[in-house]
Amino acid sequence: MRGVAALMVVIGHGQSAVAGVKAAAGGHFHRSMLIPWGASVDLFFVISGFIMVHASGRLFGRAGARRDFLRRRLIRIVPLYWLVTVAFLALLGLATLKGGDRFPSPGAILASFAFLPAPAWGDGRLFPVFDLGWTLNYEVFFYALLALVIVLPRRRALLALGLMLAALVGVGAAIPGPSAAWFWTRPIMIDFGLGLGVGALVARGVVLPRPLRVLAIVLGVTILIADPGHVFDGPLGTTVANAWPRVFLAGVPMAMALAAAVLGPEPAMPRAGALFTRIGDASYSLYLLHPFALIAMEKLAQKLPAVRGAPGPLLVGGTVAVAIGLALVGYRRVERPMTAALARLLTPRPPAAFPILATDPSS
């Protein structure tokens, strides 16, 4: 499911980029709206809530749990995001020297590295310098909330966290935006709570009968594709509001699909699913690195008539394929080794035990 979510992001962004290339060349590209590509963020958030319960099961109620949890999460999230942001700033700096895009302010750069919502471009929109980081601003805030309660037993911790999310969203209705407080109290935070709920059911050993799981996934996918509130079919460049319609028409259906997947016996992985498993493992790299494939495609289209004249679906497919290849290499050569090295460096080692030497009673 992480692989599916990452591919939805890349295909959605790829179509938007190709549409921009075709428009600049005087043509037009009809984007496929069969699937609400933007709902991938909701799927990521729901999965994140679930994973935090499932993977942190041994930490709840344990001494030192808060420190261990935050260390693991920051090792997982921060290094690659900072590395990608530095690379993006380098490209942006070159473009600025050539008279292109303007460079962000030092304050905006610091806010981006600190996962603080701030308008990096002075237009009031709370996007970091590397704009995909807006989802990580939500993720890191969710981790901070979970860290507050992880010292409690699991059931009490999840109840407290669920109440915190509900209270934040409730208070957010009265907070004017845009501001960091407004950003972190949008209804999309409930997506994490939906994942927490699924994780709590798995932790309690709940197993749904197969017909009910089939019904849940069919109903969830039907709601997603129908998009009855027209949340995800806005014009090119439209930013989907992180409001209640998104939660009901994307977060809830994604939680239903996740529940159908995990609240039953674990199925054998078909061969066709192996690719999605590999992409799922590399989903973080794919999410952060795919904009570089889009930038490369756009630059080639500016310089090569054959590229900008290629059929739109072929451009999208080629860009997606390049992004996947870049992500798989980045995961194996950069993300995984870097994460492992930092884990070894930052994980405290138990104190060495002094061996008890046997003594010779005759001495």
Side-chain angles (χ1 to χ4, degrees):
M1 293 183 77
R2 289 186 305 169
V4 169
L7 284 177
M8 288 174 65
V9 171
V10 179
I11 294 172
H13 288 170
Q15 289 191 104
S16 296
V18 169
V21 166
K22 292 298 184 182
H28 185 70
F29 172 66
H30 293 279
R31 294 177 298 153
S32 170
M33 302 304 294
L34 175 63
I35 297 175
W37 309 106
S40 55
V41 172
D42 300 87
L43 178 54
F44 271 131
F45 285 3
V46 169
I47 291 175
S48 181
F50 166 74
I51 289 294
M52 290 306 99
V53 179
H54 189 65
S56 303
R58 296 182 180 179
L59 290 179
F60 286 104
R62 201 188 76 185
R66 185 176 291 132
R67 180 190 63 250
D68 290 346
F69 172 76
L70 287 175
R71 184 184 65 250
R72 293 179 187 181
R73 289 294 90 205
L74 294 179
I75 288 173
R76 178 74 178 87
I77 294 294
V78 171
L80 186 63
Y81 176 61
W82 281 6
L83 184 63
V84 169
T85 299
V86 169
F88 181 74
L89 284 170
L91 292 177
L92 195 58
L94 292 175
T96 302
L97 291 174
K98 294 180 179 180
D101 300 331
R102 62 189 179 90
F103 203 73
S105 67
I109 294 173
L110 289 175
S112 297
F113 281 112
F115 299 96
L116 297 175
W121 306 109
D123 56 4
R125 299 187 306 158
L126 300 178
F127 283 101
V129 169
F130 188 66
D131 60 3
L132 289 182
W134 73 267
T135 62
L136 299 181
N137 289 348
Y138 277 114
E139 285 274 0
V140 172
F141 182 65
F142 171 64
Y143 297 157
L145 295 178
L146 180 52
L148 291 176
V149 301
I150 201 167
V151 293
L152 300 174
R154 181 169 55 198
R155 184 176 298 183
R156 290 171 56 191
L158 296 182
L159 176 60
L161 184 53
L163 292 174
M164 288 167 61
L165 292 173
L168 283 169
V169 173
V171 170
I175 297 178
S179 65
W182 174 87
F183 179 89
W184 281 323
T185 55
R186 294 305 85 209
I188 198 173
M189 291 293 297
I190 298 298
D191 284 353
F192 294 108
L194 295 171
L196 291 175
V198 176
L201 292 175
V202 171
R204 297 186 64 177
V206 174
V207 175
L208 297 180
R210 183 180 180 87
L212 192 56
R213 288 188 288 119
V214 171
L215 176 62
I217 196 166
V218 169
L219 184 58
V221 171
T222 300
I223 294 172
L224 280 170
I225 293 177
D227 189 18
H230 301 286
V231 174
F232 295 98
D233 61 357
L236 185 66
T238 301
T239 300
V240 178
N242 297 325
W244 283 112
R246 178 171 198 157
V247 176
F248 289 127
L249 298 178
V252 171
M254 289 302 189
M256 293 168 66
L258 178 64
V262 300
L263 294 179
E266 185 171 351
M269 176 61 67
R271 289 187 177 182
L275 175 61
F276 288 99
T277 300
R278 293 185 64 191
I279 295 174
D281 290 339
S283 59
Y284 190 46
S285 287
L286 182 55
Y287 181 72
L288 291 179
L289 296 178
H290 81 270
F292 295 96
L294 302 183
I295 292 171
M297 182 273 294
E298 291 168 341
K299 295 301 181 183
L300 288 174
Q302 291 174 4
K303 298 180 180 298
L304 301 176
V307 174
R308 60 177 174 268
L314 180 61
L315 270 181
V316 173
T319 304
V320 171
V322 170
I324 292 173
L326 179 63
L328 292 175
V329 173
Y331 172 69
R332 292 190 62 185
R333 302 296 185 184
V334 180
E335 180 189 351
R336 192 168 63 177
M338 181 170 57
T339 302
L342 285 172
R344 289 193 299 268
L345 179 65
L346 299 178
T347 301
R349 296 181 180 181
F354 290 99
I356 300 176
L357 301 178
T359 59
D360 184 357
S362 63
S363 60

